[in-house]
Amino acid sequence: MTQPLMPLFPRGSPGAGLLALRLGVLAGMLACNPVAGLPLPPPVSGFLTGIAALGLVLGLFTSWIARLAGACALLGLIQAMPDARAIALAAQGLSVVALALLGPGAYSMDALFFGRRIVRIDE
């Protein structure tokens, strides 16, 4: 079995870059609020946005939150197509795809819970 080219939870500057990407997706998500375009009552959409924002800040279940945020951005993009907001939602969608593919990085709760482990086998 071979190791992947890039570690699952990179440290150093790649990890800091993934943290910055998470914060950028968070800022774009709060600015564009792709959940607001869905047919949900405002308290529910606000709650979902808050949960997703908290998950992105902490780096908890990042890939799943990024996939859901990407789906919301796509639905918002379809609804706002002739509007200028569509460009911002498209950029948000690309950032979310990058985050879903790259993962959360070492500075996240995912790395703490699901990161690499040292397995010692005593003989």
Side-chain angles (χ1 to χ4, degrees):
M1 189 161 135
T2 61
Q3 289 285 342
L5 292 176
M6 186 174 176
L8 191 57
F9 299 104
R11 296 187 182 280
S13 59
L18 287 171
L19 175 63
L21 182 61
R22 281 195 340 249
L23 294 176
V25 166
L26 170 68
M29 197 172 79
L30 293 177
C32 294
N33 196 6
V35 182
L38 299 177
L40 296 172
V44 174
S45 66
F47 177 75
L48 291 176
T49 303
I51 291 294
L54 183 65
L56 283 176
V57 166
L58 296 178
L60 186 61
F61 303 117
T62 306
S63 296
W64 290 101
I65 291 175
R67 290 175 187 149
L68 290 173
C72 290
L74 180 64
L75 288 174
L77 178 66
I78 290 170
Q79 290 179 350
M81 190 54 81
D83 194 6
R85 184 174 170 239
I87 295 171
L89 284 169
Q92 175 72 12
L94 290 175
S95 298
V96 165
V97 167
L99 185 61
L101 293 175
L102 291 173
Y107 310 115
S108 66
M109 297 299 287
D110 283 342
L112 184 68
F113 293 145
F114 309 116
R116 293 182 181 216
R117 303 277 189 244
I118 296 175
V119 178
R120 295 187 180 151
I121 301 174
D122 294 330
E123 293 181 32

